[in-house]
Amino acid sequence: MPQDRRVSFTRHNSQDMRSSSMPGGVEHAVRVDLDGLIRQMPEGPDKDKFSKEMDDFYRLFTRFLHEKKHSKPLDWEKVRGPKPEDVIAYKDLEQKELKNVAPLLNKLAVLKLNGGLGTTMGCVGPKSAIEVRDGQTFLDLTVQQIEHLNHVSGADVPLILMNSFNTDEDTGKIVQKYSNHNVSICTFNQSRYPRFKADSNLPLARDPENKPGFWYPPGHGDLYESFANSGLLDELIENGKEWVFVSNVDNLGATVDSSILQHMADTGAEFVMEVTDKTKADIKGGTIIDYDGQIRLLEIAQVPKAHVDDFKRVKKFKIFNTNNLWISLKAIKRLVASQKFDLDLIVNNKTTDDGTAVIQLETAVGAAIKHFSGAHGVNVPRSRFLPVKSTSDLFLVTSDLYLLENGQLFMNPKRTFKTVPVIKLGDHFKKVNDYLARFKTPPQILELDHLTVTGDVCFSSDVTLEGTVIIVANYGAHIDIPRGAILNDKVVSGDLRLLDH
């Protein structure tokens, strides 16, 4: 769409005008607004928590203003690939079985990032409640994994869920069904920050009520402060826990790894990031770099536009961050207390339903790598990165390509090649309910390399897909893949309607 360059005149209300007219400028005006929101809260623990969140937001906001005026863009000439000691190969770690690291497991907690909704896949409620395999949800599989871990090792590894205000209520109801399982489950909420107007920089919210569109969870980089503010960090340390394994709840490959845990203990590293080799599907993923002699996480949003193509080249940046992180609890406590735990800002521009331009300030949990002592990456097998972000991913994890055991997915040993096939399902499959309606049973794909499906296509039961399969139903056409069909290196197009007998 061409840019509209016509001059317009905007009517500002008295609230917005304060940003430039009051003593101290916009910083003072925002502080006044935040204090006004705090005063509206009734006395008690909720007010104390809300006040702390507004203080944390204000510190982030003032950083945003300062960096907007004074920060320099990333100097691409200083960007180097990681030093050899900054990324260690997983195969070089001492391999340990779970039962042999029980004393270390007793010092570990598992934390899942559980703040996201399933809206992008057409679902209502927390994404962790989506059924992904044999009628079981992300959360069901996670609980099975931890329960099995505790059973085999005799350890007591707790499961912690970092919820957002979008997922907390539903998650609280869901976790009740695990009360008889051999796993302790704790939850805490990440912060709730106010969106602010792009023109005046003043908060959109006029009261602390959680109205849709006025507040947002500020990214998973908020984990550190929210974890500390919840009191749970101190509680874990008091109970003898030393490390936390953090991962996205939708990454089905992110299980507790005894070899990496042993490596944490042996090296004394405060932070280990699991990375894995990039493919063409991962070109936008953040990567570990050396910048001015310091280890950093570089995200694509930080890359100057002139160098984005360079960043995407797999030959230059060969690894990416899986967001599986192993972190020292005491180090988190120390860094949060220092109030110098500044993570790279992600400025997210949004538009509300009524057309108001607003800004969300967010941070990423992996960006903290530069603050921890001995921080480095471990290049892990691709099997430790198995996210389900779309129905194309769901197609893979529900198929015979994987076997399920104790909540963990393993690639089927009957597959000749250990690479994962490329799956591209079109818009007709985008929502989970539509996807499920188009497959009577998951196809057999042990010999599949590539699948593309677009248009109005339905699969009957016992279908086998091999090699490269492309199925295209043009606009107005419909294709039924019949029961028992075997498609090997086939292109199917046009209009095909078959009835099972």
Side-chain angles (χ1 to χ4, degrees):
M1 181 178 291
Q3 185 176 356
D4 186 351
R5 297 184 179 276
R6 292 174 296 176
V7 176
S8 62
F9 295 89
T10 305
R11 183 186 299 274
H12 295 278
N13 62 34
S14 57
Q15 174 207 346
D16 293 343
M17 290 299 288
R18 288 185 294 109
S19 65
S20 58
S21 62
M22 290 190 70
V26 65
E27 290 186 28
H28 179 76
V30 169
R31 183 69 261 182
V32 168
D33 273 12
L34 296 178
D35 289 342
L37 292 172
I38 294 169
R39 282 194 298 272
Q40 295 180 58
M41 290 285 292
E43 294 295 331
D46 287 345
K47 181 174 184 176
D48 295 339
K49 179 177 182 295
F50 182 73
S51 178
K52 181 68 170 65
E53 285 182 348
M54 294 305 97
D55 289 345
D56 291 342
F57 168 76
Y58 183 68
R59 191 162 59 249
L60 198 67
F61 176 77
T62 54
R63 264 190 63 208
F64 162 72
L65 292 182
H66 182 268
E67 291 183 9
K68 195 174 179 181
K69 289 182 180 179
H70 304 292
S71 68
K72 297 178 181 179
L74 188 80
D75 185 348
W76 194 250
E77 297 302 316
K78 295 181 179 179
V79 175
R80 299 282 185 271
K83 291 177 283 190
E85 62 269 26
D86 285 344
V87 179
I88 298 169
Y90 179 82
K91 63 182 177 61
D92 293 337
L93 302 184
E94 182 182 0
Q95 299 303 301
K96 292 280 188 178
E97 294 185 13
L98 288 174
K99 61 184 179 182
N100 295 329
V101 293
L104 297 181
L105 287 168
N106 271 319
K107 299 178 181 180
L108 180 71
V110 171
L111 191 155
K112 294 291 183 179
L113 304 173
N114 186 48
L117 295 169
T119 49
T120 56
M121 295 176 69
C123 297
V124 177
K127 187 176 183 182
S128 58
I130 295 175
E131 293 184 359
V132 287
R133 178 76 185 219
D134 300 342
Q136 298 178 89
T137 67
F138 289 107
L139 211 47
D140 292 337
L141 296 179
T142 298
V143 170
Q144 284 183 38
Q145 291 167 16
I146 307 297
E147 191 171 32
H148 175 69
L149 175 71
N150 288 335
H151 174 72
V152 169
S153 66
D156 181 18
V157 178
L159 172 62
I160 303 165
L161 302 175
M162 184 176 85
N163 302 330
S164 69
F165 61 84
N166 291 318
T167 62
D168 183 57
E169 184 177 351
D170 287 338
T171 300
K173 296 174 182 176
I174 292 168
V175 297
Q176 292 177 14
K177 70 178 181 178
Y178 307 121
S179 58
N180 294 324
H181 289 246
N182 182 28
V183 56
S184 301
I185 301 178
C186 306
T187 67
F188 70 96
N189 268 16
Q190 67 182 115
S191 301
R192 182 174 68 110
Y193 284 176
R195 286 175 158 180
F196 59 93
K197 297 179 183 179
D199 54 2
S200 68
N201 285 328
L202 293 175
L204 196 63
R206 305 314 304 150
D207 60 63
E209 185 180 342
N210 191 24
K211 296 177 181 176
F214 285 74
W215 302 83
Y216 71 98
H220 43 56
D222 179 60
L223 177 149
Y224 305 104
E225 288 186 339
S226 293
F227 199 10
N229 292 345
S230 71
L232 193 53
L233 176 62
D234 285 335
E235 184 180 328
L236 289 171
I237 293 173
E238 289 170 6
N239 289 335
K241 304 300 181 185
E242 294 188 20
W243 305 284
V244 61
F245 172 48
V246 178
S247 63
N248 297 338
V249 74
D250 64 1
N251 181 4
L252 296 177
T255 58
V256 171
D257 186 279
S258 50
S259 299
I260 299 178
L261 178 60
Q262 183 70 57
H263 175 71
M264 285 286 289
D266 291 344
T267 61
E270 294 182 343
F271 188 105
V272 166
M273 173 183 288
E274 293 186 35
V275 297
T276 196
D277 292 342
K278 266 190 179 184
T279 67
K280 290 183 178 180
D282 315 305
I283 55 176
K284 294 183 179 180
T287 187
I288 290 179
I289 62 166
D290 177 82
Y291 190 77
D292 256 355
Q294 183 185 35
I295 190 170
R296 293 263 302 263
L297 177 68
L298 178 64
E299 301 280 5
I300 192 169
Q302 299 169 285
V303 178
K305 289 183 179 180
H307 300 285
V308 167
D309 288 341
D310 198 20
F311 176 82
K312 291 180 179 179
R313 289 194 180 97
V314 176
K315 288 184 178 180
K316 181 167 184 177
F317 298 102
K318 299 178 181 179
I319 55 173
F320 73 98
N321 170 29
T322 65
N323 224 35
N324 299 348
L325 308 171
W326 301 75
I327 314 173
S328 160
L329 294 171
K330 288 181 179 178
I332 294 175
K333 180 178 174 67
R334 182 189 77 243
L335 289 167
V336 170
S338 73
Q339 290 199 349
K340 295 179 181 177
F341 205 16
D342 293 339
L343 306 186
D344 297 325
L345 281 178
I346 301 168
V347 180
N348 201 343
N349 292 283
K350 298 279 189 177
T351 304
T352 62
D353 291 341
D354 66 1
T356 303
V358 295
I359 294 175
Q360 298 180 179
L361 299 179
E362 303 175 10
T363 55
V365 64
I369 190 170
K370 63 184 179 182
H371 290 290
F372 289 92
S373 174
H376 61 274
V378 172
N379 192 344
V380 298
R382 183 75 184 200
S383 58
R384 291 193 57 75
F385 184 69
L386 190 57
V388 180
K389 304 290 185 185
S390 65
T391 51
S392 295
D393 297 329
L394 190 62
F395 176 88
L396 288 170
V397 301
T398 56
S399 73
D400 60 343
L401 190 69
Y402 292 99
L403 303 177
L404 179 64
E405 185 178 340
N406 299 313
Q408 187 171 355
L409 292 178
F410 300 90
M411 185 168 284
N412 194 326
K414 292 181 181 179
R415 180 166 172 81
T416 306
F417 303 103
K418 298 309 175 186
T419 55
V420 176
V422 176
I423 308 297
K424 297 180 179 179
L425 301 180
D427 288 344
H428 285 72
F429 296 80
K430 191 172 183 179
K431 296 182 178 181
V432 171
N433 286 342
D434 294 336
Y435 163 87
L436 293 173
R438 293 181 177 277
F439 290 97
K440 280 198 174 179
T441 59
Q444 299 171 45
I445 63 169
L446 284 177
E447 301 298 324
L448 181 67
D449 298 320
H450 181 112
L451 173 67
T452 294
V453 185
T454 60
D456 185 6
V457 181
C458 291
F459 293 76
S460 192
S461 56
D462 300 321
V463 172
T464 301
L465 305 173
E466 300 173 344
T468 297
V469 178
I470 299 173
I471 305 172
V472 180
N474 295 324
Y475 181 78
H478 174 86
I479 295 177
D480 281 317
I481 304 300
R483 181 174 58 196
I486 299 175
L487 302 182
N488 186 333
D489 288 331
K490 295 294 185 198
V491 176
V492 180
S493 62
D495 198 327
L496 179 65
R497 295 176 183 269
L498 299 173
L499 297 176
D500 289 335
H501 296 288

